[in-house]
């Protein structure tokens, strides 16, 4: 019985939601109204919208904010959220890309490399293993990486050892897959190496 | 629309993006200093058991574990 009630509410929502695709309501008004009508005695469940934190609107191109807001999200390491910075340089596959406030909206795939965050006079460097960078038109940048480690946590001797090991693996690799793996190892480690020194 | 001409070398060798990304992440984790290295490697440990179903009946489950018994 409950399942039918929810499907009825959801189908009602689907008809009305396209008009509101652009603005995000703070609370799920339409859902609450429909819920109370069908199940007045039961507490309404929490919907994903109530967990959503509002983001700055992407609307006007009039004013360019003075600072970028960046979110660094990583599945395996801790990140940053809503940090106000002056500039961030990401290691895109097309090369090091600097992102300043007012940057055009873009999506770039990242290659293993150094991410540097410039705030005032200080520069914080993270090594990104791979990921994506989304820049929105309101000067909010989301950088998503599998591993984002502060460069201080990298051990130089392991990098050298890995470089030697993978150079050797590349020469002895037979199948395409082994060659690709060895090549990836070399790419990552040489990026690590140059970010340690650079 | 351009055809998918320049595929990355790993995709040409039959690797998916997820495999590539996880491989890169593991390589980076291995190059960290202690204690970060053990934290990173511990985070990726899994322990699960899988059983395939044939003709509506489960077969013998296989356990995949990184934790020592």
């Amino acid at each position: 019985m409950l399942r039918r009630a929810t499907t009825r509410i959801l189908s009602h929502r689907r008809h009305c939601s396209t008009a509101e695709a652009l603005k995000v309501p703070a609370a799920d008004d339409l859902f609450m109204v429909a819920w109370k009508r069908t199940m007045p005695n039961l507490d309404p469940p929490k919907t994903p919208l109530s967990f959503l934190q509002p983001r700055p609107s992407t609307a006007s191109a009039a004013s360019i904010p003075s600072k970028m807001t960046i979110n660094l999200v990583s599945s395996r390491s801790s990140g940053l959220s809503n940090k106000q910075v002056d500039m961030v340089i990401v290691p895109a596959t097309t090369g090091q890309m600097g992102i300043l406030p007012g940057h055009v909206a873009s999506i770039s795939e990242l290659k293993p490399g150094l991410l540097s965050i410039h705030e005032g006079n200080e520069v914080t460097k993270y090594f990104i293993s791979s990921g994506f960078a989304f820049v929105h038109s309101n000067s909010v940048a989301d950088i998503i990486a599998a591993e984002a480690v502060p460069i201080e946590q990298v051990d130089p001797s392991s990098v050298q050892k890995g470089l030697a090991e993978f150079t050797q693996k590349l020469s002895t690799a037979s199948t395409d897959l082994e060659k690709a793996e060895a090549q990836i190892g070399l790419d990552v480690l040489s990026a690590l190496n140059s970010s340690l020194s650079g | 629309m351009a055809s998918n001409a320049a595929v990355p070398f790993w995709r040409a060798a039959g690797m998916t993006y997820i495999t590539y990304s996880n491989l890169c992440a593991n390589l980076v984790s291995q190059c960290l200093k202690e204690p970060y290295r053990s934290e990173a490697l511990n985070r990726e440990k899994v322990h699960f058991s899988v059983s395939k179903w044939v003709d509506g009946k489960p077969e013998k489950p296989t356990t995949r574990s990184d934790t020592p018994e």
Side-chain angles (χ1 to χ4, degrees), chain A residues 88-141:
Chain A
V88 57
I89 302 183
V90 298
T93 44
T94 49
Q96 295 286 109
M97 181 166 92
I99 306 178
L100 289 149
H103 195 279
V104 63
S106 67
I107 303 179
S108 10
E109 185 190 339
L110 305 179
K111 64 174 186 234
L114 203 62
L115 171 89
S116 41
I117 301 170
H118 299 251
E119 166 65 13
N121 280 330
E122 45 181 68
V123 181
T124 336
K125 296 189 185 165
Y126 289 86
F127 188 82
I128 305 279
S129 69
S130 61
F132 292 90
F134 298 86
V135 188
H136 306 282
S137 43
N138 52 357
S139 295
V140 171

XYZ file of all heavy atoms in Angstrom, chain A residues 88-141:
395
model
N 43.897 28.973 -9.280
C 44.267 27.583 -9.096
C 44.787 27.067 -10.433
O 44.241 27.371 -11.489
C 43.072 26.766 -8.561
C 41.882 26.859 -9.477
C 43.436 25.345 -8.323
N 45.891 26.324 -10.379
C 46.475 25.781 -11.606
C 46.277 24.277 -11.590
O 46.752 23.593 -10.672
C 47.979 26.102 -11.689
C 48.168 27.607 -11.618
C 48.555 25.575 -12.992
C 49.593 28.033 -11.770
N 45.559 23.763 -12.595
C 45.258 22.332 -12.611
C 46.051 21.649 -13.707
O 46.308 22.239 -14.753
C 43.749 22.067 -12.822
C 42.955 22.636 -11.700
C 43.268 22.609 -14.134
N 46.430 20.383 -13.502
C 47.185 19.645 -14.526
C 46.241 18.969 -15.516
O 45.971 17.778 -15.422
C 47.949 18.618 -13.682
C 47.067 18.352 -12.504
C 46.319 19.609 -12.236
N 45.746 19.742 -16.494
C 44.836 19.137 -17.458
C 45.617 18.309 -18.467
O 46.818 18.502 -18.640
C 44.047 20.227 -18.177
N 44.916 17.403 -19.177
C 45.612 16.579 -20.165
C 46.186 17.449 -21.273
O 47.140 17.054 -21.946
C 44.665 15.549 -20.791
O 43.431 16.190 -21.095
C 44.414 14.399 -19.857
N 45.620 18.638 -21.462
C 46.123 19.542 -22.499
C 47.201 20.464 -21.970
O 47.615 21.390 -22.652
C 44.970 20.403 -23.029
O 44.288 20.958 -21.912
C 44.004 19.564 -23.840
N 47.658 20.236 -20.732
C 48.710 21.075 -20.166
C 48.260 21.765 -18.889
O 47.113 21.646 -18.486
N 49.181 22.460 -18.242
C 48.841 23.168 -17.003
C 47.874 24.294 -17.335
O 48.141 25.115 -18.206
C 50.096 23.767 -16.366
C 51.107 22.754 -15.898
C 50.684 22.031 -14.647
O 50.367 20.866 -14.673
N 50.668 22.753 -13.543
N 46.740 24.313 -16.642
C 45.720 25.317 -16.947
C 45.486 26.178 -15.728
O 45.207 25.662 -14.649
C 44.429 24.589 -17.339
C 43.307 25.495 -17.691
S 41.982 24.609 -18.512
C 40.978 24.173 -17.130
N 45.614 27.463 -15.886
C 45.370 28.372 -14.775
C 43.931 28.824 -14.795
O 43.395 29.162 -15.842
N 43.281 28.807 -13.642
C 41.870 29.192 -13.571
C 41.762 30.388 -12.649
O 42.091 30.320 -11.467
C 41.021 28.036 -13.032
C 41.259 26.791 -13.870
C 39.554 28.404 -13.080
C 40.517 25.599 -13.385
N 41.307 31.514 -13.205
C 41.129 32.750 -12.441
C 39.642 33.018 -12.315
O 38.848 32.470 -13.057
C 41.810 33.896 -13.175
C 43.318 33.845 -13.161
C 43.877 34.458 -14.415
C 43.829 34.601 -11.944
N 39.249 33.915 -11.388
C 37.828 34.244 -11.298
C 37.329 34.791 -12.634
O 38.029 35.555 -13.289
C 37.781 35.324 -10.222
C 38.993 35.133 -9.438
C 40.024 34.541 -10.337
N 36.146 34.372 -13.044
C 35.610 34.821 -14.323
C 36.017 33.920 -15.470
O 35.782 34.240 -16.630
N 36.620 32.768 -15.143
C 37.023 31.845 -16.199
C 35.769 31.292 -16.881
O 34.753 31.083 -16.230
C 37.836 30.706 -15.578
C 38.602 29.895 -16.562
N 38.028 28.889 -17.300
C 39.896 29.911 -16.931
C 38.938 28.334 -18.074
N 40.086 28.939 -17.871
N 35.877 31.011 -18.173
C 34.747 30.474 -18.915
C 34.451 29.075 -18.373
O 35.348 28.367 -17.917
C 35.081 30.460 -20.420
C 36.251 29.558 -20.713
C 33.876 30.060 -21.230
N 33.183 28.680 -18.406
C 32.810 27.374 -17.863
C 33.437 26.283 -18.714
O 33.375 26.328 -19.941
C 31.291 27.241 -17.873
N 34.040 25.297 -18.097
C 34.668 24.231 -18.879
C 34.797 22.978 -18.044
O 34.730 23.008 -16.815
C 36.057 24.662 -19.357
O 36.920 24.786 -18.262
N 34.974 21.870 -18.760
C 35.221 20.593 -18.096
C 36.541 20.097 -18.651
O 36.716 20.018 -19.869
C 34.131 19.562 -18.447
C 32.769 20.115 -18.061
C 34.398 18.263 -17.725
C 31.635 19.173 -18.393
N 37.490 19.778 -17.799
C 38.746 19.241 -18.315
C 39.117 17.976 -17.575
O 38.938 17.869 -16.359
C 39.891 20.236 -18.206
O 39.543 21.335 -17.448
N 39.667 17.030 -18.350
C 40.167 15.811 -17.737
C 41.575 16.100 -17.237
O 42.338 16.805 -17.887
C 40.206 14.697 -18.778
C 40.585 13.356 -18.220
C 40.845 12.335 -19.316
O 40.352 12.557 -20.433
O 41.533 11.353 -19.048
N 41.908 15.579 -16.068
C 43.218 15.866 -15.504
C 44.143 14.680 -15.696
O 43.724 13.531 -15.667
C 43.093 16.172 -14.011
C 42.123 17.274 -13.637
C 42.092 17.435 -12.138
C 42.519 18.583 -14.280
N 45.428 14.968 -15.872
C 46.419 13.896 -15.925
C 47.186 13.962 -14.612
O 47.084 14.938 -13.870
C 47.340 14.097 -17.122
C 48.163 15.358 -17.046
C 49.149 15.398 -18.193
C 50.070 16.579 -18.020
N 50.168 17.459 -19.112
N 47.960 12.924 -14.293
C 48.700 12.967 -13.016
C 49.635 14.171 -13.001
O 50.437 14.347 -13.911
C 49.500 11.662 -13.022
C 48.802 10.776 -13.973
C 48.134 11.644 -14.980
N 49.501 15.012 -11.985
C 50.329 16.212 -11.959
C 50.055 17.043 -10.731
O 49.323 16.649 -9.830
N 50.639 18.231 -10.742
C 50.587 19.101 -9.579
C 49.434 20.071 -9.682
O 49.216 20.693 -10.715
C 51.896 19.885 -9.518
C 52.290 20.435 -8.158
C 52.477 19.294 -7.205
C 53.574 21.207 -8.288
N 48.689 20.198 -8.582
C 47.618 21.183 -8.502
C 48.113 22.251 -7.547
O 48.483 21.940 -6.421
C 46.370 20.522 -7.927
C 45.221 21.441 -7.585
C 44.337 21.609 -8.766
C 44.421 20.885 -6.439
N 48.170 23.500 -7.981
C 48.637 24.516 -7.034
C 47.559 25.557 -6.829
O 46.939 26.040 -7.767
C 49.944 25.155 -7.483
O 49.939 25.396 -8.851
N 47.344 25.864 -5.564
C 46.290 26.790 -5.168
C 46.959 28.045 -4.647
O 47.716 27.994 -3.682
C 45.431 26.140 -4.079
C 44.829 24.849 -4.617
C 44.340 27.076 -3.641
C 44.179 24.023 -3.569
N 46.695 29.171 -5.316
C 47.343 30.431 -4.954
C 46.371 31.311 -4.202
O 45.337 31.691 -4.728
C 47.816 31.154 -6.218
C 48.808 30.371 -7.008
N 50.119 30.707 -7.102
C 48.662 29.230 -7.703
C 50.751 29.828 -7.853
N 49.890 28.914 -8.227
N 46.721 31.609 -2.964
C 45.851 32.437 -2.137
C 46.725 33.504 -1.512
O 47.549 33.191 -0.652
C 45.184 31.557 -1.067
C 44.525 32.302 0.046
C 43.346 33.148 -0.396
O 42.893 32.967 -1.545
O 42.902 33.997 0.367
N 46.586 34.741 -1.974
C 47.438 35.813 -1.448
C 48.872 35.528 -1.845
O 49.193 35.372 -3.015
N 49.725 35.380 -0.856
C 51.127 35.087 -1.147
C 51.467 33.618 -0.985
O 52.585 33.211 -1.265
C 52.034 35.896 -0.222
C 52.173 37.317 -0.727
O 52.102 37.538 -1.921
N 52.343 38.260 0.185
N 50.515 32.816 -0.488
C 50.897 31.438 -0.225
C 50.371 30.520 -1.316
O 49.319 30.738 -1.903
C 50.373 31.001 1.133
C 48.944 31.407 1.369
C 48.484 30.973 2.738
O 49.003 31.534 3.719
O 47.639 30.066 2.791
N 51.149 29.487 -1.587
C 50.806 28.508 -2.607
C 50.731 27.140 -1.932
O 51.683 26.730 -1.280
C 51.882 28.460 -3.717
C 51.498 27.456 -4.762
C 52.048 29.825 -4.320
N 49.567 26.465 -2.084
C 49.470 25.105 -1.534
C 49.489 24.147 -2.712
O 48.762 24.348 -3.672
C 48.140 24.907 -0.787
O 47.657 26.156 -0.363
C 48.323 23.991 0.385
N 50.324 23.144 -2.632
C 50.453 22.220 -3.749
C 49.940 20.845 -3.366
O 50.264 20.314 -2.304
C 51.921 22.099 -4.173
C 52.464 23.384 -4.688
C 53.831 23.194 -5.302
C 54.364 24.552 -5.697
N 55.783 24.516 -5.972
N 49.148 20.265 -4.275
C 48.673 18.902 -4.091
C 49.068 18.118 -5.316
O 49.062 18.647 -6.418
C 47.139 18.858 -3.996
C 46.568 19.434 -2.733
C 46.305 20.800 -2.625
C 46.272 18.617 -1.651
C 45.769 21.326 -1.468
C 45.726 19.140 -0.503
C 45.485 20.492 -0.415
O 44.948 21.013 0.722
N 49.372 16.816 -5.129
C 49.591 15.992 -6.301
C 48.303 15.246 -6.583
O 47.770 14.565 -5.719
C 50.753 15.009 -6.088
C 51.107 14.294 -7.354
C 51.934 14.903 -8.288
C 50.590 13.051 -7.640
C 52.240 14.278 -9.476
C 50.892 12.413 -8.823
C 51.717 13.020 -9.745
N 47.807 15.367 -7.828
C 46.558 14.736 -8.222
C 46.901 13.506 -9.039
O 47.713 13.598 -9.960
C 45.744 15.700 -9.110
C 45.532 17.023 -8.406
C 44.434 15.092 -9.512
C 44.433 17.021 -7.436
N 46.270 12.367 -8.730
C 46.605 11.172 -9.498
C 45.874 11.189 -10.839
O 46.434 10.862 -11.855
C 46.250 9.911 -8.721
O 44.859 9.787 -8.608
N 44.625 11.543 -10.869
C 43.887 11.712 -12.129
C 42.512 12.189 -11.719
O 42.130 12.054 -10.565
C 43.772 10.424 -12.929
O 43.088 9.443 -12.195
N 41.772 12.768 -12.649
C 40.459 13.237 -12.250
C 39.898 14.216 -13.256
O 40.262 14.186 -14.428
N 39.008 15.070 -12.775
C 38.370 16.049 -13.639
C 38.281 17.384 -12.925
O 38.237 17.436 -11.714
C 36.947 15.594 -14.005
C 36.928 14.400 -14.891
C 36.901 13.137 -14.343
C 36.966 14.546 -16.256
C 36.906 12.022 -15.155
C 36.965 13.430 -17.072
C 36.938 12.170 -16.519
N 38.254 18.446 -13.710
C 38.057 19.771 -13.137
C 36.871 20.402 -13.850
O 36.846 20.485 -15.070
C 39.303 20.630 -13.334
N 35.879 20.796 -13.077
C 34.710 21.470 -13.637
C 34.767 22.918 -13.211
O 34.831 23.204 -12.025
C 33.419 20.867 -13.075
C 33.225 19.423 -13.413
C 33.776 18.442 -12.616
C 32.487 19.055 -14.511
C 33.606 17.108 -12.921
C 32.303 17.718 -14.817
C 32.862 16.748 -14.024
N 34.737 23.835 -14.177
C 34.666 25.245 -13.843
C 33.290 25.714 -14.247
O 32.851 25.482 -15.379
C 35.728 26.062 -14.609
C 35.750 27.476 -14.089
C 37.088 25.432 -14.457
N 32.589 26.347 -13.302
C 31.253 26.857 -13.599
C 31.330 28.338 -13.883
O 32.302 29.004 -13.529
C 30.322 26.588 -12.415
C 30.312 25.155 -12.012
N 29.628 24.195 -12.688
C 30.945 24.517 -11.012
C 29.826 23.032 -12.123
N 30.621 23.191 -11.100
N 30.255 28.879 -14.475
C 30.334 30.269 -14.901
C 30.265 31.257 -13.747
O 30.417 32.444 -13.942
C 29.228 30.572 -15.916
O 28.037 29.981 -15.490
N 30.048 30.769 -12.508
C 30.009 31.698 -11.376
C 31.309 31.651 -10.584
O 31.327 31.918 -9.386
C 28.832 31.359 -10.466
C 28.841 29.902 -10.078
O 29.686 29.144 -10.538
N 27.925 29.505 -9.228
N 32.409 31.278 -11.250
C 33.721 31.212 -10.595
C 33.767 30.207 -9.456
O 34.413 30.426 -8.445
C 34.153 32.588 -10.065
O 34.343 33.454 -11.128
N 33.042 29.102 -9.643
C 33.168 27.999 -8.698
C 33.839 26.875 -9.465
O 33.427 26.543 -10.569
C 31.779 27.525 -8.208
C 31.909 26.268 -7.408
C 31.143 28.604 -7.372
N 34.889 26.315 -8.913
C 35.571 25.218 -9.593
C 35.504 23.977 -8.715
O 35.781 24.049 -7.511
C 37.024 25.588 -9.858
